[in-house]
Every structure is written in structure tokens, then in C-alpha cells.
Amino acid sequence: VHAFLAGYHGLAREALEPHLYQLADVDAARHLFKVAGGLGSMVMGDRQILGQVRNALTTATRKGPSALPPVLTRLFHGALTAGRRIQEETALGRSGDTVGHTAVRLAQRTLGSLKDQHALVIGAGAVAANAAKSLAAAGVRDLVIANRTPARGRALARLLGGRAIGLDRLPQALADASLVISATGSPGLIITKDMLAAVLKGLNRRPGCNLLLIDLAVPRDIDPAAAALDGVLLLDIDQLPGAAHVGAYGRERAASQAGKIVEEELIRFAGWLGSLKVAPRIKEIGQRAEAIRRQELERSLKKMPGLAPQQQQQVDALTRSLVKKLLHDSIVDLKTSSAEERTQTAAEARAWEARAAA
């Protein structure tokens, strides 16, 4: 993964590694479960993340269920279960927050009603589309979608009753807008300070802040230096958490509930994972017990030559049932102890790392 990321972005691996971290075993599973539940998102509980995890699994298994190793398949299904439970059982899921929705809520807190606003959305990806849908629901007077791929922008604009333009018409769209939300995947700036200064020059705008720019892109779409221009208020993704629908106390309580859900699903996954570790031992015990059962059954049947075939089958079924029941508790104990050992080892490792860091 390190090599792929470095090669794809044209970076030396040594330059990338200090910015990455590694998690293993149960800690890796815990991280994925939290991600699927939106617990690591800029907007806690972001519902889009679960869909992205689901799409990742669908893409990976497009050639069939066996395209992924069983452990990864079970891991991602566990993550989806944790994410769904967080959405269904906590206030994070009920809030319906996404980055796009929260940006529009932030705009409403800043500008008040959006019904008289001329809104420009730059981009047509998932984040931009959510923002555009929220703007349309808020009743903006004019909604413009600017996108590098015109067809995609037109499709979103038609859906929402807006207009679509190419990025070549961005300066004029900026001149007409009172609210701009940008969320593209561009590696460089879409709006520079000089571009915005040229757009604003000569325009007869009201005194005070009357152009709100919200930059949701990572890396940024809008030059941070543009915030110094008169009549401009520039906000970025760092301002979003405070605008989420769930208040600070509600977020803390919901996050605690979500954390418990993650741990419950993690224990379930760790139990399954632990069963793989002891599977050879369980198989060995089962095979040994079956060999003893057969040996003793044959010896007993020789002493009872008068038994009919049906009676022999009944005795065979009886001995199978007895062996299965006798082994059941021992096998469960093996699986449980393995899962507890796995989670305990991970907890001890985290505690050791915390002490070392301190």
C-alpha cells in the first residue's frame, strides 16, 4: 500500500512514510469499524462514509465473493454492521449530517435564510452533490453547478432545477454569486486570490461581508489568502464540526453509544477470528473423538450380533450425539479464550504505547 500510494502520486516512499501509520489485528478492525460509522469523519456520523465502505466491498468482490480472502470479507461485513447500527441506534445517524449538508447549515447560520441567495457549487462529486441538494431544499433563488466535466454538471443541475456551466465561465459565476461551496478533487487551487480580486473589482456590492465562500476540498480549492479581500468571508472544512446538527453534548453522548456498538461488533469479529486460530486444534479434537467413537462402536456392535440394521443406525446416531455434546463446551471455551487473548493482547499493546508516548 505504501509503494502504491507513493508511486501513484509520484513521491519517494521515504517522503510519504512519516505521514502514515499502521494498525494490526484487532486494532485495525476497530479502526475500520469506526470509519464505517463516521466516527473519524470531519462531521461525526457522516452517512456518506458507510456508503463508501459498502462501495469498496462491492468493487472488490465484483468478480465474485471469492475475490477477497475470507478474513477481509468478514471484516468488511462486520464494519458495515457496525456502521448501520450506529446510524440506526444513535443520534449521529438520525441527524442525517454529511459534509455537504453541514456546509449548508453553516451557510444558514452565517447568512440567515438562503431563499434570496445566488448559490454556486463547484464540483459534482458526492460531497458537492449533497451540498447542492441541501441548497435546493433550502430554496436558494439561483443554483449554478460548475464542473470540469459538463455532462456530469448538467445531470446534477437538471435534477435540482439549477443551471450548469464549465469552469471556463467561473469568473462570471463568481460575480453573480453570494454563496460559493467548492468541493472538487482538484490537486491545485480552483479560485485564486487574484482571480477573486479581479471579479470583485468594480462590482457595486453592499458594505460588509456579502460573499461567503465555503471550501470543502482537501487539498483546498480556494486560496486561503482570498480571506483578506474586502467583502469576502472564507470558511473551510475545519469550521464544519461546530455546525453539525447534533450539539456538543449530544455528539459526546452519541459518540459514547457508537463506541460501545463498535466494541460489541469488534468482540463478535474477534471471536470469529479467534476461532480460525484454534480451528486446526478443534479439527484435531473432533477427528480424535470420532476415531475413538468408531472404534468403541464397532467393538460394541460385535457383542450385539442380533441388532437389526435400523437399530445399529440408531446406536450410531446416539454415540455421535453424545460425542458432539461432550465436546461442545470445550470447543466453545477454546474459541472464547482465543478471542479474549486476541483482544487482551491488543489492549495491552495500546496501553504500552500510551505509556511509552507519555
Side-chain angles (χ1 to χ4, degrees):
V1 172
H2 288 190
F4 167 76
L5 289 173
Y8 184 83
H9 294 285
L11 298 171
R13 182 166 176 169
E14 295 75 17
L16 185 63
E17 284 183 342
H19 304 283
L20 303 177
Y21 61 90
Q22 292 180 324
L23 297 173
D25 210 274
V26 173
D27 285 333
R30 179 181 286 106
H31 177 70
L32 178 60
F33 287 15
K34 287 182 176 180
V35 168
L39 301 187
S41 305
M42 181 60 66
V43 176
M44 186 175 288
D46 189 342
R47 299 174 69 92
Q48 283 184 268
I49 308 300
L50 182 61
Q52 292 169 358
V53 174
R54 185 182 296 108
N55 290 341
L57 178 60
T58 300
T59 300
T61 56
R62 190 164 290 160
K63 293 183 179 180
S66 60
L68 277 186
V71 171
L72 276 182
T73 300
R74 184 67 175 254
L75 172 67
F76 272 80
H77 280 295
L80 293 176
T81 298
R84 280 195 299 269
R85 286 191 59 197
I86 288 170
Q87 287 191 1
E88 294 169 359
E89 299 175 24
T90 75
L92 296 179
R94 291 192 292 273
S95 72
D97 281 336
T98 66
V99 170
H101 293 151
T102 305
V104 173
R105 190 173 294 116
L106 182 59
Q108 289 172 318
R109 290 188 183 181
T110 306
L111 300 175
S113 173
L114 301 183
K115 293 186 182 300
D116 294 328
Q117 304 298 331
H118 295 263
L120 168 64
V121 175
I122 306 175
V127 174
N130 273 325
K133 291 174 183 176
S134 293
L135 288 170
V140 294
R141 177 185 296 182
D142 185 35
L143 177 61
V144 177
I145 310 295
N147 195 50
R148 194 179 303 277
T149 306
R152 193 171 182 181
R154 285 195 296 270
L156 181 59
R158 279 198 302 269
L159 179 67
L160 302 176
R163 298 182 290 116
I165 62 170
L167 292 184
D168 57 318
R169 294 174 55 192
L170 193 55
Q172 182 57 49
L174 284 170
D176 295 336
S178 55
L179 167 62
V180 178
I181 298 179
S182 191
T184 78
S186 173
L189 296 174
I190 298 294
I191 300 175
T192 65
K193 180 182 178 181
D194 290 343
M195 176 197 296
L196 196 56
V199 167
L200 297 176
K201 187 177 180 180
L203 291 180
N204 183 22
R205 289 182 175 264
R206 297 187 307 274
C209 174
N210 50 23
L211 176 57
L212 174 61
L213 304 171
I214 302 180
D215 190 351
L216 302 181
V218 179
R220 292 187 174 187
D221 280 344
I222 304 173
D223 186 353
L229 295 172
D230 289 337
V232 170
L233 175 60
L234 173 59
L235 305 176
D236 60 34
I237 201 165
D238 292 333
Q239 274 80 42
L240 291 190
H245 183 69
V246 181
Y249 173 75
R251 279 200 304 274
E252 184 177 340
R253 182 181 179 188
S256 176
Q257 293 172 335
K260 291 179 181 178
I261 290 172
V262 166
E263 293 304 315
E264 288 172 4
E265 294 302 326
L266 186 66
I267 290 171
R268 191 169 299 169
F269 173 73
W272 176 84
L273 198 61
S275 71
L276 297 184
K277 182 180 178 180
V278 297
R281 177 62 177 156
I282 292 173
K283 183 179 180 180
E284 179 185 344
I285 292 172
Q287 290 175 338
R288 176 62 178 159
E290 176 63 12
I292 293 173
R293 185 192 73 84
R294 284 181 175 275
Q295 183 180 12
E296 294 302 318
L297 177 63
E298 290 174 4
R299 185 179 302 168
S300 297
L301 289 178
K302 287 179 182 178
K303 297 178 181 179
M304 297 181 287
L307 289 182
Q310 183 178 2
Q311 292 173 317
Q312 292 181 16
Q313 291 175 2
Q314 290 175 342
V315 173
D316 180 69
L318 174 64
T319 57
R320 284 179 187 276
S321 178
L322 284 172
V323 169
K324 184 177 180 181
K325 290 180 178 180
L326 287 171
L327 292 180
H328 177 267
D329 288 346
S330 297
I331 290 174
V332 170
D333 287 343
L334 272 175
K335 291 181 178 180
T336 303
S337 62
S338 178
E340 290 175 349
E341 177 186 350
R342 187 175 292 269
T343 52
Q344 180 65 25
T345 299
E348 289 173 353
R350 288 195 303 277
W352 184 88
E353 289 171 357
R355 289 195 298 271

